[in-house]
Amino acid sequence: SLSLDGGSPENSLPQGLWGLMLVLSVAIYGSHAPLLTLCKVDGMIPFSSASVVVLVELTKLVFSFLFLLTWDRELLGVAVSWRHVAPFALSALLYAANNNLVVHMQLFMDPSTYQVLSNLKIVSTALLYSLFLRQRLSVRKWLALFLLVAAGVSYSCGGLQDPGSPSVMRLHITLVGLLLISVYCLISGLSAVYTEAILKTQALPLSLQNLFLYFFGVLLNLIGYFWSSAEGGFLEGFSSWVLVIVVSQAVNGLIMSVVMKHSSNITRLFVISCSILVNALLSVALFNLQLTLLFFVAVSCIGLAVHLYYGVR
């Protein structure tokens, strides 16, 4: 089990539950892209991604309220200062900005380039984590994090191969695209580290903090949905696979809030990197893709990174 300094998480969570949550999160991260592929109709995603984001935030809000009713019912009548609530508005705004940025970035680069360059958010998150949360990382730990970047880049550059398609990968990006991916990596790190800082510095239970965060999440993403004036109905193109995506992403969001409250963003980065394994296995099983040497390079990098960061004393 992982934590802020590589030890064990806070005693408030049983070790078995902690391990189960991390494994579940790896599985959800890894299955997201294959699930999106299963949703496609004639090679296109038939639903509005803005609708899905709103529903994910709404599901997280409902779950948080249920947790509050179940375990922290006595807090329902407690008066909370706006100073406790306001910081979550900025957190939700940063997340919403990044969700929209991902969509617009695709206009200035091909998906492969996005997959490769988005690995740089590992570096930006770690830098902001050490700067703002004053967590000094040793050279060994920095090496582990750069190995995670190497793993992500290796896998994105051709860890999987379609037997029927050419194996040469050509990356394409414009100058605007390069600027946007830099902003994306910066906001991604900032939103994660800022949220971790709020969750840890406030002496409030997580269910209440999540209630504030996801309230603003629903509000801002609803505004974004109507602002983009998406064509068609709110639930148009939805299938049972989309429902699986909504519920799994909501569960993962809640797990990540526990990780940030009781462990750290570094744990989150390792979870995301480990999800490469699940993504690869599902892609092979469902879409007959083949593993390449780069996949095994990526797996080796992740294994070494975990050993360097958490194993060596």
Side-chain angles (χ1 to χ4, degrees), residues 72-81 204 208 212:
D72 300 301
R73 186 185 283 269
E74 69 279 1
L75 292 166
L76 288 174
V78 173
V80 179
S81 163
L204 291 174
L208 197 58
F212 301 150

Side-chain angles (χ1 to χ4, degrees), residues 127-145:
L127 272 171
L128 292 165
Y129 171 78
S130 57
L131 279 171
F132 290 127
L133 299 181
R134 296 191 176 88
Q135 295 291 329
R136 194 173 160 275
L137 299 174
S138 65
V139 175
R140 194 185 73 239
K141 290 187 174 182
W142 274 113
L143 180 60
L145 292 168

Side-chain angles (χ1 to χ4, degrees), residues 119 122 140-156 269-270 273-277 293-310:
N119 287 293
I122 295 172
R140 194 185 73 239
K141 290 187 174 182
W142 274 113
L143 180 60
L145 292 168
F146 277 111
L147 279 168
L148 289 188
V149 176
V153 170
S154 298
Y155 186 67
S156 305
L269 294 177
F270 273 91
S273 293
C274 289
S275 71
I276 285 172
L277 302 169
L293 179 63
L294 285 172
F295 166 75
F296 296 102
V297 170
V299 171
S300 305
C301 286
I302 293 166
L304 187 55
V306 170
H307 175 66
L308 281 174
Y309 203 97
Y310 296 106

Side-chain angles (χ1 to χ4, degrees), residues 89-99 187-188 190-192 194-195 220:
L90 178 56
S91 190
L93 187 63
L94 287 168
Y95 281 122
N98 240 25
N99 286 337
I187 296 177
S188 178
L190 193 62
S191 55
Y194 175 71
T195 305
L220 289 167

Side-chain angles (χ1 to χ4, degrees), residues 32-200:
H32 184 57
L35 279 172
L36 280 175
T37 307
L38 289 171
C39 289
K40 286 182 179 178
V41 176
D42 299 324
M44 302 288 286
I45 287 178
F47 55 84
S48 158
S49 57
S51 304
V52 170
V53 173
V54 170
L55 286 174
V56 169
E57 292 299 305
L58 192 59
T59 308
K60 287 192 282 192
L61 183 65
V62 170
F63 279 158
S64 300
F65 187 64
L66 290 174
F67 288 147
L68 196 66
L69 282 177
T70 310
W71 286 292
D72 300 301
R73 186 185 283 269
E74 69 279 1
L75 292 166
L76 288 174
V78 173
V80 179
S81 163
W82 66 269
R83 285 195 300 275
H84 285 125
V85 182
F88 291 101
L90 178 56
S91 190
L93 187 63
L94 287 168
Y95 281 122
N98 240 25
N99 286 337
N100 285 296
L101 199 54
V102 169
V103 177
H104 293 299
M105 274 194 308
Q106 312 289 341
L107 302 171
F108 302 97
M109 67 191 81
D110 63 299
S112 302
T113 307
Y114 165 70
Q115 290 294 334
V116 172
L117 293 181
S118 63
N119 287 293
L120 293 172
K121 67 185 177 187
I122 295 172
V123 179
S124 63
T125 304
L127 272 171
L128 292 165
Y129 171 78
S130 57
L131 279 171
F132 290 127
L133 299 181
R134 296 191 176 88
Q135 295 291 329
R136 194 173 160 275
L137 299 174
S138 65
V139 175
R140 194 185 73 239
K141 290 187 174 182
W142 274 113
L143 180 60
L145 292 168
F146 277 111
L147 279 168
L148 289 188
V149 176
V153 170
S154 298
Y155 186 67
S156 305
C157 280
L160 290 169
Q161 187 183 330
D162 188 339
S165 69
S167 58
V168 180
M169 179 182 179
R170 288 183 174 84
L171 301 181
H172 161 73
I173 187 167
T174 64
L175 195 61
V176 176
L178 209 54
L179 181 69
L180 287 176
I181 197 95
S182 304
V183 173
Y184 165 76
C185 289
L186 185 68
I187 296 177
S188 178
L190 193 62
S191 55
V193 170
Y194 175 71
T195 305
E196 181 181 337
I198 306 167
L199 293 175
K200 281 183 169 153

